Amino acid sequence: MEKALLTVREDDLTDPQTLELLALHLAGMHAGSPPGTVFALDLSGLRQPGVTVWSAWSDGKIAGIGALKQLAGAHGEVKSMRTHPDFIRKGVATVILDQLILTARARRWQRLSLETGSGSAFEPALALYRNKGFQAGEPFANYQANGHSQFFHLEL
């Protein structure tokens, strides 16, 4: 597969393409997860202080998004990772996750964590996280084990 040429930028959440991809992300999370196990941030959650969103673009089209949320101390959380369907398997998620890890390190965070779901729909994301060094672990922040969520951590 050909890799897309991407530009990654901090996103102000005003571009209609970004908003459409976020809506697709939320719909997908609700479609693939049992009730009460979706912790994806909606637009208002992504606009909160302590949350930074990045988007990847190729030839004027959004290719993917990802966000970082500041937790207590030097701990951050990966949020809202989603590749646009037109850019699946073109390296978009890797580029976004690399940006999030680089930013977390620049902020001198000591740990980066994430919550994701279980099942075949989540396998590509799990493979990416493991490839980047994330390891399965315990719930963090306000999360609790629920039979669907999985928790991963990367020591920085």
Side-chain angles (χ1 to χ4, degrees), residues 68-69 71 75-79 111-115 134 138 140 151-155:
L68 281 177
K69 180 180 179 182
L71 300 176
H75 189 188
E77 181 180 3
V78 173
K79 297 295 291 182
R111 186 178 222 203
L112 198 52
S113 299
L114 63 92
E115 177 276 337
F134 283 84
E138 296 299 316
F140 61 96
F151 307 97
F152 288 83
H153 308 281
L154 177 66
E155 301 303 325

Side-chain angles (χ1 to χ4, degrees), residues 22-152:
L22 287 169
L24 179 72
H25 175 62
L26 285 172
M29 292 297 93
H30 285 282
S33 302
T37 64
V38 175
F39 303 102
L41 296 175
D42 63 10
L43 189 57
S44 65
L46 290 168
R47 287 185 169 148
Q48 291 298 310
V51 178
T52 310
V53 179
W54 281 267
S55 53
W57 298 80
S58 179
D59 292 327
K61 294 181 180 179
I62 193 163
I65 54 173
L68 281 177
K69 180 180 179 182
Q70 170 81 50
L71 300 176
H75 189 188
E77 181 180 3
V78 173
K79 297 295 291 182
S80 301
M81 289 283 297
R82 176 62 69 156
T83 299
H84 190 283
D86 293 345
F87 291 90
I88 297 290
R89 297 193 207 338
K90 294 187 178 179
V92 175
T94 299
V95 169
I96 292 282
L97 188 57
D98 285 346
Q99 176 66 51
L100 300 181
I101 293 169
L102 181 71
T103 301
R105 286 187 171 131
R107 292 177 178 178
R108 292 187 160 78
W109 291 355
Q110 296 174 356
R111 186 178 222 203
L112 198 52
S113 299
L114 63 92
E115 177 276 337
T116 192
S118 301
S120 61
F122 294 92
E123 287 305 318
L126 292 169
L128 172 65
Y129 299 138
R130 288 181 182 118
N131 185 50
K132 292 296 177 179
F134 283 84
Q135 296 185 0
E138 296 299 316
F140 61 96
N142 294 324
Y143 293 107
Q144 295 183 15
N146 59 33
H148 178 71
S149 293
Q150 298 183 67
F151 307 97
F152 288 83

